[in-house]
Amino acid sequence: MSETQYPVRPVGETVGLGFAGRCPRCGEGRIFSGYLKVADRCTVCGLSFSGHDAGDGAVVPALLVLGAVIVGAALYVEFTYEPALWVHIVLWGPVSVLSTMWLLPRLKGIGIALQHRFRSTEEETPLGGT
């Protein structure tokens, strides 16, 4: 497959591919080789991910968004139903952990896809969606 066959994707589509954990160039390969481990390269188109660095960039938005949602939900439950303290511990502990585990790879994938889209890496991939 030649490099000119890969389209220049709009930002919305790039974000969608990152959210799904798909390669931002071909849209078919996987960004991750493990839960949060970025693959060395796309298995379909060969795009190298070695220069992409999401680091801890996904943690801050995840904490802000999930913190606001979970605290708001906990306050709603507290003032509406007035459960015992142990109910909050049993309910919100697992909800916090599971929602964080669900959101982190998606936000990290978005970061990597946007790095590719705007060429903010040290990779020598040609400009224009290739």
Side-chain angles (χ1 to χ4, degrees):
M1 184 177 275
S2 73
E3 292 181 331
T4 57
Q5 291 180 318
Y6 299 112
V8 177
R9 300 181 189 278
V11 174
E13 187 177 348
T14 302
V15 168
L17 287 171
F19 187 84
R22 297 290 179 187
C23 174
R25 181 163 73 174
C26 68
E28 297 176 21
R30 304 293 302 165
I31 292 176
F32 300 107
S33 62
Y35 173 63
L36 286 176
K37 179 164 178 10
V38 178
D40 292 332
R41 59 183 52 253
C42 175
T43 57
V44 176
C45 69
L47 174 67
S48 174
F49 295 124
S50 62
H52 295 75
D53 180 26
D56 292 333
V59 174
V60 173
L63 287 176
L64 291 174
V65 170
L66 291 176
V69 169
I70 291 172
V71 167
L75 286 172
Y76 174 78
V77 169
E78 175 61 31
F79 291 123
T80 303
Y81 303 107
E82 298 179 11
L85 182 60
W86 69 268
V87 173
H88 283 292
I89 294 169
V90 168
L91 178 64
W92 301 115
V95 167
S96 299
V97 170
L98 293 175
S99 58
T100 301
M101 289 178 66
W102 179 82
L103 189 59
L104 274 178
R106 283 148 183 83
L107 291 177
K108 190 169 183 176
I110 290 171
I112 291 170
L114 288 175
Q115 282 181 7
H116 172 74
R117 170 69 171 85
F118 293 108
R119 301 293 184 250
S120 60
T121 66
E122 297 297 323
E123 288 296 309
E124 295 183 17
T125 53
L127 295 176
T130 56

